[in-house]
């Protein structure tokens, strides 16, 4: 039902574009009740086509919405940016799922900012229907949120939540800090349930306060709050003792309070907030994915499970996470959300049919897998080794093959023994099942293997590099042909996949110094005629 409602919002906006006047210009924000504004922005008729409201109530909802948010098109988009000193624009497409998810949050933020007396105007633009307007104002993907201040464009970098949008807009338009001077105002602020940084300063002045203000402006996602009254501060952060000056972070989760104990410098304050603003366990979504990827915490542990399984694991993950605050970020991914979970699981060659714990080091792309049972002891040990750098990276591998073939099948687990530690020269073909060129090359490799089968010091091998990995195997395209000489396995020779069967034969004979006499004595296959060693065959593509 919720998904249906979100998608219906997009339908309503499309309807507004159809009935909107191209001459829409300034907003009249004083005649519309806040609750009615938000209701109108989200109101949809599940039974009727929103493009043609038949009753007066539907038409009234459209009118109210138009009075709150400008509907832009090819004619008025650029003019709206020029005529409003502060304009927040949402560029969307009717088919875009992320646009549908963001739309109600954008609407809630518009209503909240209006209630605060903000002068920021709000606008929306169907970038697919009006590509000319989209290009004119800088909308290049969906959804795109842009803030224009006196015509200067600022790309939205905050969280895709109502509070995130409100906080970011206020900071960018000159209100980085909220000042609370009474217990009532503190109580009212707490009811919003948002995360915030609280600073206690006796006189709102001095070098430390200046650094606090700089940090509030620099950090785009967390609302900063200040007070000069300890009793007010205690309502927000009960752990304050007798400090004359204090800074802490308050989050809307069980692990609610974090106290700052560093030097009052902009960089240190921002780092404190950045490292502590995420919850103990972050629930991964489309809307926060960019923030997870861009987190300053580079070691990340992911738990993949369906919701009912994670209920049994959540307390375990939270207990372990408490011991690695600011060092490891813990993330939960619901495997029922295939669009979120499958890309990750594919990297490991996993199906996601049972709860799984993995880890990433976003510094170098290394990945790790907890192969033991998920319990407190095993998860803690896994994280300790991840943090101290002693956890071995995980590389995908198929099962070790049992059957022997003329062209040996190599998997990730056998790459060392079959290739790097083999006493033979190894001619390796790295392929992928979806590779168009691989089938013809594979047939030629089989002919080569048969032709050279009489040689004791040469073997041919094949690895499906799309599902098998090894730190010493780097494959950038398919097929990749590599010759590993017996005396130097650290420097394989790359062959061009454009070489003909005869050219590859000449290449092998030249590199392995096989004489014509040896060929006549040991090579029995009639598939390939004996050819002279070719001059000038290149080692690489």
């Amino acid at each position: 039902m919720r998904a249906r409602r979100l998608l219906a919002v997009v339908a309503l906006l499309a309807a507004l574009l159809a009935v909107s006047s191209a001459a829409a210009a300034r907003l009249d924000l004083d005649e519309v009740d806040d609750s009615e504004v938000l209701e109108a922005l989200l109101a949809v008729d599940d039974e009727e086509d929103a493009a043609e409201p038949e009753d007066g109530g539907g038409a009234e909802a459209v009118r109210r919405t138009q009075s709150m948010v400008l509907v832009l098109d090819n004619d008025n988009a650029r003019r709206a940016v020029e005529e409003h000193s502060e304009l927040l624009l949402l560029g969307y497409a009717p088919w875009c799922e992320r646009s549908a998810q963001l739309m109600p949050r954008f609407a809630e933020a518009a209503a909240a900012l209006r209630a605060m007396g903000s002068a920021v105007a709000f606008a929306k633009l169907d970038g697919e229907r009006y590509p000319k307007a989209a290009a004119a104002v800088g909308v290049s993907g969906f959804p795109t949120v842009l803030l224009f201040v006196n015509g200067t464009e600022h790309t939205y970098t905050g969280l895709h939540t109502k509070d995130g949008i409100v906080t970011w807009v206020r900071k960018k338009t000159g209100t980085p800090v909220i000042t609370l001077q009474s217990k009532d105002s503190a109580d009212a602020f707490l009811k919003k349930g948002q995360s915030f940084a609280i600073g206690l300063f006796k006189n709102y002045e001095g070098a430390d306060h200046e650094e606090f203000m700089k940090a509030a402006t620099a950090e785009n996602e967390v609302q900063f709050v200040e007070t000069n009254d300890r009793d007010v501060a205690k309502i927000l952060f009960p752990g304050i003792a007798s400090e004359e000056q204090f800074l802490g972070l308050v989050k809307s989760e069980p692990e609610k309070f974090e106290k700052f104990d560093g030097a009052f410098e902009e960089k240190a304050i921002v780092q404190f907030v950045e490292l502590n603003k995420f919850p103990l366990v972050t629930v991964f979504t489309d809307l926060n994915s960019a923030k997870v990827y861009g987190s300053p915490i580079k070691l990340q542990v992911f738990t993949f499970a369906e919701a009912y399984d994670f209920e049994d694991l959540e307390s375990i993950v939270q207990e372990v996470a408490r011991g690695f605050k600011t060092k490891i970020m813990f993330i939960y991914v619901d495997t029922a959300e295939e669009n979120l979970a499958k890309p990750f699981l594919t990297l490991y060659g996993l199906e996601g049919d049972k709860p799984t714990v993995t880890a990433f080091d976003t510094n170098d792309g290394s990945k790790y897998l907890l192969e033991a049972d998920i319990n407190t002891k095993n998860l803690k040990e896994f994280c300790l080794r991840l943090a101290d750098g002693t956890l071995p990276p995980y590389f995908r591998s198929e099962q070790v093959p049992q059957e022997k073939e003329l062209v040996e099948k190599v998997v990730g687990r056998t790459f060392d023994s079959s290739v790097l530690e083999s006493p033979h020269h190894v001619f390796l073909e790295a392929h992928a099942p979806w590779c168009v060129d691989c089938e013809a090359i594979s047939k030629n490799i089989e002919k080569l293997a048969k032709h050279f089968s009489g040689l004791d010091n040469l073997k041919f091998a094949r690895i499906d590099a799309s599902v098998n990995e090894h730190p010493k195997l780097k494959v950038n395209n398919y097929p990749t042909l590599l010759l590993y000489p017996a005396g130097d396995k650290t420097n394989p020779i790359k062959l061009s996949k454009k070489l003909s069967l005869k050219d590859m034969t000449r290449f092998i004979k030249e590199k392995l110094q096989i004489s014509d006499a040896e060929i006549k004595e040991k090579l029995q296959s009639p598939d390939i005629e004996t050819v002279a060693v070719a001059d000038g065959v290149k080692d690489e593509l």
Side-chain angles (χ1 to χ4, degrees):
M1 184 67 183
R2 185 180 177 187
R4 184 181 179 188
R5 179 176 174 83
L6 290 173
L7 292 172
V9 170
V10 179
L12 171 60
L13 292 172
L16 296 178
L17 288 170
V19 300
S20 171
S21 167
R26 302 189 62 82
L27 297 173
D28 180 6
L29 299 179
D30 298 326
E31 298 180 359
V32 186
D33 178 74
D34 296 339
S35 61
E36 290 181 344
V37 167
L38 181 55
E39 211 171 278
L41 283 166
L42 298 177
V44 290
D45 187 341
D46 290 336
E47 304 299 327
E48 299 293 330
D49 183 351
E52 298 180 1
E54 296 178 0
D55 56 76
E60 178 64 13
V62 169
R63 187 196 68 77
R64 291 174 182 168
T65 304
Q66 286 178 283
S67 72
M68 180 65 186
V69 179
L70 291 171
V71 181
L72 304 187
D73 56 29
N74 289 336
D75 296 325
N76 67 354
R78 193 66 247 174
R79 187 172 71 249
V81 171
E82 294 169 353
E83 291 183 352
H84 292 85
S85 59
E86 297 170 345
L87 176 73
L88 190 69
L89 168 67
L90 171 62
Y92 70 96
W95 47 261
C96 173
E97 184 177 347
R98 289 191 178 188
S99 294
Q101 293 173 336
L102 180 57
M103 199 76 70
R105 294 166 174 82
F106 185 80
E108 290 170 349
L113 283 165
R114 178 199 180 282
M116 294 176 184
S118 172
V120 176
F122 281 73
K124 53 183 176 279
L125 171 65
D126 182 343
E128 183 179 63
R129 183 173 181 180
Y130 299 109
K132 181 180 176 182
V137 296
V139 173
S140 57
F142 307 112
T144 293
V145 179
L146 301 171
L147 175 67
F148 294 91
V149 179
N150 296 319
T152 301
E153 174 188 312
H154 301 271
T155 301
Y156 183 74
T157 57
L159 295 172
H160 284 191
T161 63
K162 182 202 79 173
D163 289 335
I165 295 171
V166 169
T167 297
W168 188 87
V169 170
R170 284 172 60 85
K171 289 191 176 194
K172 294 299 181 184
T173 56
T175 316
V177 176
I178 294 174
T179 301
L180 300 177
Q181 297 179 323
S182 69
K183 293 181 180 179
D184 288 343
S185 64
D187 287 330
F189 182 80
L190 277 180
K191 290 178 181 178
K192 295 181 179 180
Q194 69 181 101
S195 298
F196 60 93
I198 168 65
L200 171 63
F201 298 93
K202 188 174 182 180
N203 296 313
Y204 300 134
E205 60 184 16
D208 289 352
H209 183 258
E210 289 180 7
E211 294 298 308
F212 174 80
M213 294 298 291
K214 289 178 184 178
T217 303
E219 211 294 323
N220 287 323
E221 296 175 12
V222 175
Q223 179 65 63
F224 278 54
V225 175
E226 66 178 359
T227 185
N228 62 358
D229 187 325
R230 183 179 290 104
D231 291 334
V232 172
K234 281 185 175 182
I235 292 174
L236 302 172
F237 200 112
I240 295 177
S242 59
E243 296 99 326
E244 290 290 328
Q245 186 169 284
F246 176 86
L247 174 62
L249 183 67
V250 182
K251 297 182 285 186
S252 54
E253 62 151 344
E255 296 292 318
K256 195 168 185 177
F257 302 104
E258 300 289 345
K259 181 179 178 180
F260 177 70
D261 56 7
F264 272 76
E265 298 173 352
E266 176 189 349
K267 185 177 180 180
I269 295 171
V270 170
Q271 184 180 45
F272 164 75
V273 173
E274 289 288 322
L275 292 176
N276 288 281
K277 66 185 177 184
F278 288 100
L280 266 183
V281 181
T282 298
V283 178
F284 190 75
T285 68
D286 266 332
L287 294 178
N288 71 6
S289 58
K291 295 300 174 186
V292 171
Y293 299 144
S295 168
I297 304 175
K298 300 304 181 182
L299 297 178
Q300 301 182 342
V301 170
F302 286 76
T303 300
F304 296 89
E306 293 205 14
Y308 60 85
D309 286 324
F310 189 66
E311 289 178 3
D312 298 330
L313 298 173
E314 186 172 14
S315 60
I316 294 173
V317 178
Q318 287 182 338
E319 179 181 348
V320 175
R322 288 188 184 94
F324 295 92
K325 285 183 180 179
T326 75
K327 297 181 179 66
I328 297 176
M329 184 176 183
F330 289 78
I331 300 135
Y332 163 61
V333 185
D334 186 351
T335 51
E337 301 285 344
E338 286 196 13
N339 62 314
L340 298 177
K342 193 169 183 179
F344 286 101
L345 294 171
T346 299
L347 290 174
Y348 291 84
L350 302 174
E351 295 297 328
D353 52 348
K354 62 179 181 179
T356 303
V357 171
T358 71
F360 284 98
D361 183 343
T362 59
N363 282 309
D364 59 14
S366 297
K367 56 185 185 290
Y368 307 86
L369 176 68
L370 176 61
E371 300 189 66
D373 293 338
I374 303 174
N375 56 44
T376 303
K377 179 177 178 295
N378 290 339
L379 182 57
K380 184 177 180 180
E381 176 66 20
F382 178 79
C383 292
L384 282 170
R385 297 186 67 190
L386 175 67
D388 66 22
T390 61
L391 188 66
Y394 173 82
F395 297 97
R396 285 182 298 172
S397 178
E398 295 178 285
Q399 294 297 317
V400 176
Q402 301 300 318
E403 298 180 1
K404 300 295 183 182
E405 300 177 2
L406 183 61
V407 177
E408 181 180 336
K409 180 177 179 179
V410 177
V411 298
R413 295 175 184 174
T414 63
F415 189 84
D416 283 327
S417 60
S418 294
V419 179
L420 300 182
E421 297 170 1
S422 170
H424 304 104
H425 304 290
V426 180
F427 190 104
L428 180 69
E429 173 200 2
H431 71 101
W434 41 260
C435 167
V436 176
D437 297 330
C438 289
E439 184 176 355
I441 295 292
S442 293
K443 289 180 179 178
N444 282 346
I445 301 304
E446 290 167 3
K447 291 179 181 179
L448 285 172
K450 187 174 181 181
H451 180 65
F452 286 104
S453 60
L455 292 179
D456 297 330
N457 65 343
L458 171 65
K459 72 175 181 179
F460 289 80
R462 176 180 293 139
I463 185 169
D464 181 350
S466 69
V467 292
N468 293 283
E469 298 172 328
H470 190 278
K472 296 295 179 64
L473 177 65
K474 306 299 181 184
V475 177
N476 297 319
N477 53 66
Y478 298 99
T480 292
L481 304 177
L482 300 167
L483 178 62
Y484 290 81
D488 186 10
K489 295 295 179 68
T490 60
N491 294 297
I493 303 167
K494 187 176 181 180
L495 286 74
S496 169
K497 64 183 180 182
K498 296 180 180 179
L499 291 179
S500 68
L501 186 57
K502 289 183 180 180
D503 289 336
M504 284 191 279
T505 304
R506 294 187 185 101
F507 182 90
I508 292 171
K509 287 165 59 181
E510 180 187 65
K511 291 300 176 184
L512 303 187
Q513 299 180 349
I514 301 173
S515 66
D516 287 344
E518 190 175 4
I519 291 173
K520 290 179 181 179
E521 178 182 351
K522 293 186 176 182
L523 306 186
Q524 304 299 321
S525 172
D527 288 354
I528 305 174
E529 62 177 327
T530 301
V531 293
V533 175
D535 293 330
V537 178
K538 294 183 179 180
D539 293 353
E540 297 186 357
L541 203 63

